[in-house]
Amino acid sequence: MDQRQALASFGALSQETRLQIIRMLVVAGPDGMSAGAIAENAEVSPSNVSFHLKELERAGLINQQRESRSIIYSAAYDALGGLVRFLMEDCCAGHPEICAPAVAVAACCADGATSMSKKAN
Amino acid sequence: MDQRQALASFGALSQETRLQIIRMLVVAGPDGMSAGAIAENAEVSPSNVSFHLKELERAGLINQQRESRSIIYSAAYDALGGLVRFLMEDCCAGHPEICAPAVAVAACCADGATSMSKKAN
DNA sequence: TCAACAATTCAAGGATTATTGAAATATGGA
DNA sequence: TCCATATTTCAATAATCCTTGAATTGTTGA
């Protein structure tokens, strides 16, 4: 993750609807959700959700793939992980005071990260 | 860190000059830097740096304190740590795929986080 | 081919954010 | 008090972002 993508990612996450979309896509998992389902869930118009999805894709935070009539969007886990890493390492220079809280969170999903056996369904 | 502050923080970090300022303040450490020094280092006008500093403060990412004629700004380590945590936990639902890269970064500054004895100078 | 569905694109507008330079505020020393 | 320094505030402009609804594109099944 370079600075350009990080700036775009922070911008993408700074909007309430888009943050909401990322959250639901992360929870939805690898199967993703259709644009229509996202719009319904977020309670915004189709054209509005399309605008925000394009913004999220421009930042590289989501992936899309057509599935028959629908277009399925899913969270780009690698990009989100890259952003966390950028924030801790590049932006915050790995400062212990900043990374300390992350260590706690990391600890509680470290098993999953290692074994990759507890993916949410 | 609640969602409102996270949104403001992401917005604050989505601007090149502001990201640059945060980086230099993190590196500068607890002593911080004066507004003038920040402006000079970032190569922007005093009034422009003031605008961006206000934005960063609004997001809670920096602290200020007057020191004689100067106003000294410093990174709010707790807020930055809170943002990393929000991104991993609240936004990304603690997904192993996303947190995995963070575990690696966390590991290399975990000693410092525990002993607090290896702060960057 | 035609109708219906799913989603995007486009254009217009309104709202927010960024930049600039001039004026104002606050502090410390002569 | 007066001046110089450090910084902020203000007003105007420019640029970007968000929302809305209408028109368009792509897909499927009758």
Short mmCIF file of all heavy atoms in Angstrom, two decimals, chain A residues 21 24-25 28 31-42 49 53 65 67 69-74, chain C residues 6-8:
data_model
loop_
_atom_site.label_atom_id
_atom_site.label_comp_id
_atom_site.label_asym_id
_atom_site.label_seq_id
_atom_site.Cartn_x
_atom_site.Cartn_y
_atom_site.Cartn_z
N ILE A 21 -21.01 0.59 4.28
CA ILE A 21 -20.92 -0.42 3.22
C ILE A 21 -19.74 -1.36 3.46
O ILE A 21 -19.87 -2.57 3.35
CB ILE A 21 -20.78 0.26 1.83
CG1 ILE A 21 -22.10 0.97 1.46
CG2 ILE A 21 -20.41 -0.76 0.75
CD1 ILE A 21 -22.01 1.80 0.18
N MET A 24 -20.60 -3.79 6.19
CA MET A 24 -21.50 -4.89 5.83
C MET A 24 -20.82 -5.88 4.90
O MET A 24 -21.07 -7.07 4.97
CB MET A 24 -22.84 -4.37 5.29
CG MET A 24 -22.88 -3.80 3.93
SD MET A 24 -24.59 -3.37 3.39
CE MET A 24 -24.90 -1.84 4.23
N LEU A 25 -19.91 -5.38 4.06
CA LEU A 25 -19.22 -6.29 3.15
C LEU A 25 -18.20 -7.17 3.88
O LEU A 25 -18.01 -8.34 3.55
CB LEU A 25 -18.52 -5.51 2.02
CG LEU A 25 -19.46 -4.90 0.97
CD1 LEU A 25 -18.67 -4.18 -0.10
CD2 LEU A 25 -20.34 -5.98 0.35
N ALA A 28 -20.30 -9.71 5.46
CA ALA A 28 -20.88 -10.60 4.45
C ALA A 28 -19.89 -11.68 4.02
O ALA A 28 -20.29 -12.76 3.59
CB ALA A 28 -21.35 -9.79 3.24
N ASP A 31 -18.43 -14.10 -0.17
CA ASP A 31 -19.54 -14.19 -1.11
C ASP A 31 -20.04 -12.81 -1.53
O ASP A 31 -20.66 -12.67 -2.57
CB ASP A 31 -20.70 -15.00 -0.51
CG ASP A 31 -20.35 -16.48 -0.44
OD1 ASP A 31 -19.32 -16.87 -1.03
OD2 ASP A 31 -21.09 -17.24 0.20
N GLY A 32 -19.81 -11.83 -0.70
CA GLY A 32 -20.20 -10.46 -1.03
C GLY A 32 -21.70 -10.22 -1.07
O GLY A 32 -22.49 -11.05 -0.60
N MET A 33 -22.06 -9.08 -1.61
CA MET A 33 -23.47 -8.70 -1.72
C MET A 33 -23.70 -7.98 -3.05
O MET A 33 -22.80 -7.32 -3.56
CB MET A 33 -23.84 -7.72 -0.59
CG MET A 33 -23.83 -8.31 0.80
SD MET A 33 -24.05 -7.00 2.04
CE MET A 33 -25.79 -6.58 1.81
N SER A 34 -24.91 -8.07 -3.56
CA SER A 34 -25.23 -7.36 -4.79
C SER A 34 -25.40 -5.88 -4.49
O SER A 34 -25.70 -5.49 -3.36
CB SER A 34 -26.53 -7.91 -5.38
OG SER A 34 -27.63 -7.53 -4.57
N ALA A 35 -25.24 -5.06 -5.52
CA ALA A 35 -25.41 -3.61 -5.35
C ALA A 35 -26.80 -3.30 -4.80
O ALA A 35 -26.94 -2.44 -3.92
CB ALA A 35 -25.19 -2.90 -6.69
N GLY A 36 -27.79 -4.01 -5.30
CA GLY A 36 -29.16 -3.78 -4.83
C GLY A 36 -29.33 -4.09 -3.36
O GLY A 36 -29.96 -3.32 -2.63
N ALA A 37 -28.75 -5.20 -2.93
CA ALA A 37 -28.84 -5.59 -1.52
C ALA A 37 -28.13 -4.57 -0.64
O ALA A 37 -28.61 -4.22 0.45
CB ALA A 37 -28.24 -6.98 -1.33
N ILE A 38 -27.02 -4.07 -1.13
CA ILE A 38 -26.27 -3.06 -0.38
C ILE A 38 -27.10 -1.79 -0.25
O ILE A 38 -27.21 -1.21 0.83
CB ILE A 38 -24.92 -2.75 -1.07
CG1 ILE A 38 -24.02 -3.98 -1.05
CG2 ILE A 38 -24.23 -1.57 -0.39
CD1 ILE A 38 -22.79 -3.85 -1.93
N ALA A 39 -27.70 -1.37 -1.36
CA ALA A 39 -28.51 -0.16 -1.37
C ALA A 39 -29.68 -0.29 -0.40
O ALA A 39 -29.95 0.63 0.39
CB ALA A 39 -29.05 0.10 -2.78
N GLU A 40 -30.33 -1.45 -0.42
CA GLU A 40 -31.48 -1.68 0.45
C GLU A 40 -31.05 -1.65 1.91
O GLU A 40 -31.67 -1.00 2.75
CB GLU A 40 -32.10 -3.04 0.10
CG GLU A 40 -33.49 -3.25 0.71
CD GLU A 40 -34.10 -4.57 0.24
OE1 GLU A 40 -33.46 -5.26 -0.58
OE2 GLU A 40 -35.21 -4.91 0.70
N ASN A 41 -29.96 -2.33 2.19
CA ASN A 41 -29.45 -2.43 3.55
C ASN A 41 -28.99 -1.08 4.08
O ASN A 41 -29.18 -0.77 5.27
CB ASN A 41 -28.29 -3.43 3.58
CG ASN A 41 -28.17 -4.13 4.91
OD1 ASN A 41 -27.93 -3.49 5.92
ND2 ASN A 41 -28.35 -5.43 4.90
N ALA A 42 -28.38 -0.29 3.23
CA ALA A 42 -27.86 1.01 3.65
C ALA A 42 -28.94 2.09 3.57
O ALA A 42 -28.73 3.22 3.99
CB ALA A 42 -26.66 1.40 2.80
N VAL A 49 -25.84 4.56 -4.18
CA VAL A 49 -24.96 3.47 -3.76
C VAL A 49 -23.92 3.21 -4.84
O VAL A 49 -22.76 2.92 -4.54
CB VAL A 49 -25.77 2.18 -3.44
CG1 VAL A 49 -25.90 1.27 -4.63
CG2 VAL A 49 -25.11 1.44 -2.28
N LEU A 53 -20.01 3.08 -4.25
CA LEU A 53 -19.28 1.84 -4.57
C LEU A 53 -18.12 2.14 -5.52
O LEU A 53 -17.03 1.58 -5.38
CB LEU A 53 -20.24 0.83 -5.21
CG LEU A 53 -21.22 0.16 -4.24
CD1 LEU A 53 -22.27 -0.64 -5.01
CD2 LEU A 53 -20.50 -0.74 -3.24
N GLN A 65 -17.74 -8.21 -9.28
CA GLN A 65 -17.81 -9.24 -10.30
C GLN A 65 -19.26 -9.44 -10.67
O GLN A 65 -20.13 -9.49 -9.78
CB GLN A 65 -17.15 -10.53 -9.77
CG GLN A 65 -18.10 -11.66 -9.49
CD GLN A 65 -17.50 -12.69 -8.54
OE1 GLN A 65 -17.02 -12.34 -7.46
NE2 GLN A 65 -17.57 -13.93 -8.92
N GLU A 67 -22.57 -11.19 -11.71
CA GLU A 67 -23.16 -12.51 -11.48
C GLU A 67 -24.56 -12.43 -12.08
O GLU A 67 -25.48 -11.95 -11.42
CB GLU A 67 -23.22 -12.78 -9.97
CG GLU A 67 -23.74 -14.14 -9.59
CD GLU A 67 -22.62 -15.10 -9.17
OE1 GLU A 67 -21.44 -14.66 -9.13
OE2 GLU A 67 -22.93 -16.26 -8.92
N ARG A 69 -27.54 -10.97 -13.63
CA ARG A 69 -27.99 -9.58 -13.72
C ARG A 69 -27.36 -8.69 -12.65
O ARG A 69 -27.24 -7.49 -12.81
CB ARG A 69 -29.52 -9.50 -13.58
CG ARG A 69 -30.20 -9.57 -14.92
CD ARG A 69 -31.67 -9.31 -14.80
NE ARG A 69 -32.42 -10.55 -14.72
CZ ARG A 69 -33.69 -10.64 -15.10
NH1 ARG A 69 -34.34 -9.60 -15.55
NH2 ARG A 69 -34.33 -11.78 -15.01
N SER A 70 -26.98 -9.31 -11.56
CA SER A 70 -26.45 -8.52 -10.43
C SER A 70 -24.94 -8.30 -10.54
O SER A 70 -24.25 -9.04 -11.23
CB SER A 70 -26.75 -9.23 -9.12
OG SER A 70 -28.14 -9.37 -8.95
N ILE A 71 -24.49 -7.29 -9.86
CA ILE A 71 -23.05 -7.11 -9.70
C ILE A 71 -22.75 -7.29 -8.23
O ILE A 71 -23.34 -6.63 -7.37
CB ILE A 71 -22.59 -5.73 -10.21
CG1 ILE A 71 -22.81 -5.67 -11.73
CG2 ILE A 71 -21.13 -5.50 -9.88
CD1 ILE A 71 -22.38 -4.38 -12.38
N ILE A 72 -21.88 -8.25 -7.96
CA ILE A 72 -21.58 -8.62 -6.58
C ILE A 72 -20.32 -7.91 -6.11
O ILE A 72 -19.28 -7.98 -6.75
CB ILE A 72 -21.34 -10.15 -6.47
CG1 ILE A 72 -22.55 -10.92 -7.04
CG2 ILE A 72 -21.07 -10.53 -5.02
CD1 ILE A 72 -23.83 -10.71 -6.28
N TYR A 73 -20.46 -7.22 -4.99
CA TYR A 73 -19.31 -6.53 -4.41
C TYR A 73 -18.84 -7.27 -3.16
O TYR A 73 -19.66 -7.82 -2.40
CB TYR A 73 -19.70 -5.10 -4.03
CG TYR A 73 -19.87 -4.21 -5.24
CD1 TYR A 73 -21.11 -4.08 -5.88
CD2 TYR A 73 -18.79 -3.50 -5.75
CE1 TYR A 73 -21.25 -3.27 -6.99
CE2 TYR A 73 -18.93 -2.70 -6.87
CZ TYR A 73 -20.16 -2.58 -7.48
OH TYR A 73 -20.30 -1.80 -8.58
N SER A 74 -17.54 -7.29 -2.97
CA SER A 74 -16.98 -7.92 -1.77
C SER A 74 -15.82 -7.10 -1.24
O SER A 74 -15.18 -6.35 -2.00
CB SER A 74 -16.54 -9.34 -2.09
OG SER A 74 -15.64 -9.34 -3.18
P DA C 6 -34.27 -7.10 -9.79
OP1 DA C 6 -34.08 -8.27 -8.90
OP2 DA C 6 -35.06 -5.92 -9.34
"O5'" DA C 6 -32.85 -6.58 -10.26
"C5'" DA C 6 -31.92 -7.50 -10.79
"C4'" DA C 6 -30.62 -6.77 -11.05
"O4'" DA C 6 -30.77 -5.98 -12.26
"C3'" DA C 6 -30.22 -5.79 -9.95
"O3'" DA C 6 -28.87 -6.03 -9.58
"C2'" DA C 6 -30.41 -4.41 -10.57
"C1'" DA C 6 -30.24 -4.69 -12.05
N9 DA C 6 -31.00 -3.79 -12.91
C8 DA C 6 -32.27 -3.33 -12.75
N7 DA C 6 -32.69 -2.53 -13.71
C5 DA C 6 -31.61 -2.45 -14.56
C6 DA C 6 -31.39 -1.76 -15.76
N6 DA C 6 -32.30 -0.98 -16.33
N1 DA C 6 -30.18 -1.90 -16.36
C2 DA C 6 -29.27 -2.68 -15.79
N3 DA C 6 -29.35 -3.39 -14.65
C4 DA C 6 -30.56 -3.22 -14.08
P DA C 7 -28.25 -5.22 -8.39
OP1 DA C 7 -27.21 -6.08 -7.76
OP2 DA C 7 -29.32 -4.64 -7.57
"O5'" DA C 7 -27.53 -4.04 -9.17
"C5'" DA C 7 -26.54 -4.37 -10.12
"C4'" DA C 7 -26.22 -3.18 -10.99
"O4'" DA C 7 -27.40 -2.74 -11.68
"C3'" DA C 7 -25.72 -1.95 -10.25
"O3'" DA C 7 -24.31 -1.90 -10.36
"C2'" DA C 7 -26.38 -0.77 -10.99
"C1'" DA C 7 -27.14 -1.43 -12.12
N9 DA C 7 -28.41 -0.78 -12.39
C8 DA C 7 -29.54 -0.77 -11.62
N7 DA C 7 -30.53 -0.08 -12.13
C5 DA C 7 -30.00 0.40 -13.32
C6 DA C 7 -30.55 1.21 -14.34
N6 DA C 7 -31.80 1.70 -14.29
N1 DA C 7 -29.75 1.50 -15.39
C2 DA C 7 -28.51 1.00 -15.42
N3 DA C 7 -27.88 0.24 -14.54
C4 DA C 7 -28.71 -0.03 -13.50
P DT C 8 -23.53 -0.56 -9.95
OP1 DT C 8 -22.14 -0.98 -9.71
OP2 DT C 8 -24.31 0.16 -8.92
"O5'" DT C 8 -23.55 0.31 -11.28
"C5'" DT C 8 -23.03 -0.28 -12.48
"C4'" DT C 8 -23.10 0.72 -13.62
"O4'" DT C 8 -24.47 1.12 -13.83
"C3'" DT C 8 -22.30 2.00 -13.39
"O3'" DT C 8 -21.49 2.23 -14.52
"C2'" DT C 8 -23.37 3.07 -13.19
"C1'" DT C 8 -24.54 2.51 -13.98
N1 DT C 8 -25.87 2.94 -13.50
C2 DT C 8 -26.69 3.65 -14.33
O2 DT C 8 -26.39 3.98 -15.46
N3 DT C 8 -27.92 3.99 -13.79
C4 DT C 8 -28.39 3.68 -12.53
O4 DT C 8 -29.50 4.04 -12.15
C5 DT C 8 -27.48 2.92 -11.71
C7 DT C 8 -27.88 2.53 -10.32
C6 DT C 8 -26.28 2.60 -12.22
#
